[in-house]
Amino acid sequence: MAVEWLKFMNVLAEIKQRFAGVLGSYAESNNVESLLAMIKPAQDSRFGDYQANCAMSLGKRLSRAPRDIAAEIVEKVQLDDLCDNVEIAGPGFINLTIRDDYLAQQVVQALADDRLGVPAVTTERTYVIDYSSPNVAKPMHVGHIRSTVIGDSLARTLKFLGHQVIRDNHLGDWGTQFGMIIYGYKHFVDLDAYAVNPVAELSRLYRLVNQLVDYYKSKLQLDLLLEQIKIRQEKIEELSALDLTGDESQDKKLKKSRQRAATQLDQAKSNYEAVDQKLSAIDNDATLSQLVLAHPDIAKSVLLETAALHAGDEENVKLWKDFLPKCRADIQKIYGRLDIEFDVEYGESFYHEMLSGVVQKLRDQDLATDSKGAVCVFLEDFDTPMIVQKSDGAFLYSTTDLATIQYRVAQWQPDEILYVVDHRQSEHFQKLFAVAQSWIADSVQLRHISFGTVLDEHGRPYKTRSGSAVGLEGLLDEAVAKALEIVSADSGDGNSEYALTTQQCAEVANAVGHGAIKYADLAHNRTSDYVFSYDKMMALEGNTATYMQYCYARVQSIFRKGEVDLEQIRVTADSVNLDHSAERLLALTLARYAEALDEVLEDYRPNQLTSYLFDLAKRFSSFFEQCPVLQAEDDAIKLSRLRLCDLTARTIAHGLDLLGIGVVQQM
RNA sequence: GCGCCCAUAGCUCAGCUGGAUAGAGCAACGGACUUCUAAUCCGUAGGUCGCAGGUUCGAAUCCUGCUGGGCGUACCA
């Protein structure tokens, strides 16, 4: 059955299937796949709907004229019922135009299908997705959004396509930050504040201790920076003492070096100033400077508190057990707002007791060896080893990650584990995967779904320290507030027909505000860095979630006005009319939803779905302008257009849902 | 030093294992609301795809070198 659906529901897959047999006669079996990959949507509508580019490639391989081969292929492939125009163009492109009645049939079938014509996969796989994974005691900030939102969307998409998915939030619930909080609690806690709002107080303690630790770190850094400035200044002097030789390439190099040295000096200076400012800010604060003086060994003490916790110190463990649920509940609040869910949340602490076993096992298998007091796994292709136990006996995140893989494999036997983590950790994962493969020697595929850095308006990475990083919660609040402003303004401009109640305004603002933030993230190719800009994201026009939500609301408005019985038009659908070019284009796009989802999973890129949805919404808007629905020239066309509206709205809502974004009935 | 990634329109970004005249969205300019929601639509303008070579019928895409930027680089996560 699933195969039947596949044949009917995915136009591209259907075309490929038609070509497969014929192409097979030209190529080795292992090449058929690559030839089929050359069949794709046409880049330009003048070339039809789909194009097959395999004849050129075959021409070279077989030393024959590509156009002849193309003609031969076209002759043999059975396309009559699918295409009404098959052309050979240019050097040997095969351009295909899909028949209107075939497109209409796609729409009709999707209308009556809860899955909107998207087939479930025939071979179901099991995925573990590791995403979000914040440190529980630190306030979440913008940097956390990508992993959370991308991971969530991939999980939704995989699930919808019929895979088994285990969503695992690998919380940082066992690290140094708890040492900080414990130290802070022991020395600075305001018990009244803690009673009223424990998480806010813990967060204050974290920031405070972090600030004090940072002060001493910066102090050390300051000397180093001074030294650096001196060295760089000397280098500049050295370089300027050199005379130009007259040799063109050498002189060019010298000039480059001078320039480079100058910018490096500038950098060092501005670094120095930044650190210096940070320090004097504390020095000038009476309370803070006193605290700094009173806790000179704070960095070391924090480490000791952490170590004590890990060693099972009664008091620290008790505090940790007290703090943890409160912190988790706080994070949960944000997940609730963002509609993010997990199947399990096994944080780092969950694996704590397995770590010594991991190291022992690595030793037993001669994978790990002692080096400079630490336990290391040396790997080919890497200059540095993966350290699994420090010289002081403490374990590291690599150890935890290995334990985690071991556990996941034993527990769920996944086919694939996806780590949605930023690209800076790619070397870590390369090592981790290399060790895990030789260690567990399992067939599980391990994959780092890396993503780029979120940059600020100046193109610099968002900073996590110094408290100046934008908290995620505040960010969401601002987005919703901004959306509310726009909704309320629109609603209050006298057009009573579309005026929304306060309650409705709030709902719309929620969907629009949160949607804007998620969409801005998902719409970028995950591998590139992107600039995070409130203004752009909350412009709520152009390529934003709002555009899609607006399309959806417009359709609902038509249904309300026309008092349309949706169930009726879905079930009774026998055909749709595609005579108008806007209708046809819309239907073609609707029929491609399954293709878009395939593209998402091809390389785990949700931006394939956002661009599909934007495309769909644009085509709907164009249709909406050109094709009256309720006022259509006759009832048959009206019904046909209502069906196109219905499928569009459902596809948009469904696609947005896979992105974790909601819709509203009216806006 | 070594490794990984990036450079596309004024700005922010797409561009799917090489395919036809490189695309969007903002911003700019010109049009369209007594007609299903103008959070919209239609149009105009805007690019030597960082530079130089190479591979081939064909390169933003693959290879080499260069320039400029980001990140990582033995006991943080």
Side-chain angles (χ1 to χ4, degrees), chain A residues 471-483:
Chain A
L472 189 48
E473 196 160 16
L475 179 75
L476 298 178
D477 288 343
E478 190 161 340
V480 172
K482 178 86 180 167

Side-chain angles (χ1 to χ4, degrees), chain A residues 224-268:
Chain A
L224 287 174
L225 284 171
L226 267 181
E227 184 68 15
Q228 198 178 44
I229 289 175
K230 215 173 102 188
I231 290 172
R232 290 183 176 176
Q233 238 151 11
E234 280 166 6
K235 181 156 186 194
I236 286 180
E237 281 159 26
E238 202 176 294
L239 286 170
S240 60
L242 291 174
D243 291 324
L244 295 180
T245 58
D247 181 298
E248 201 176 313
S249 77
Q250 268 191 27
D251 288 349
K252 207 167 145 189
K253 274 185 186 166
L254 180 59
K255 283 178 186 167
K256 280 272 146 62
S257 307
R258 283 176 181 165
Q259 211 172 38
R260 192 170 203 154
T263 57
Q264 281 184 342
L265 179 63
D266 284 347
Q267 259 177 19

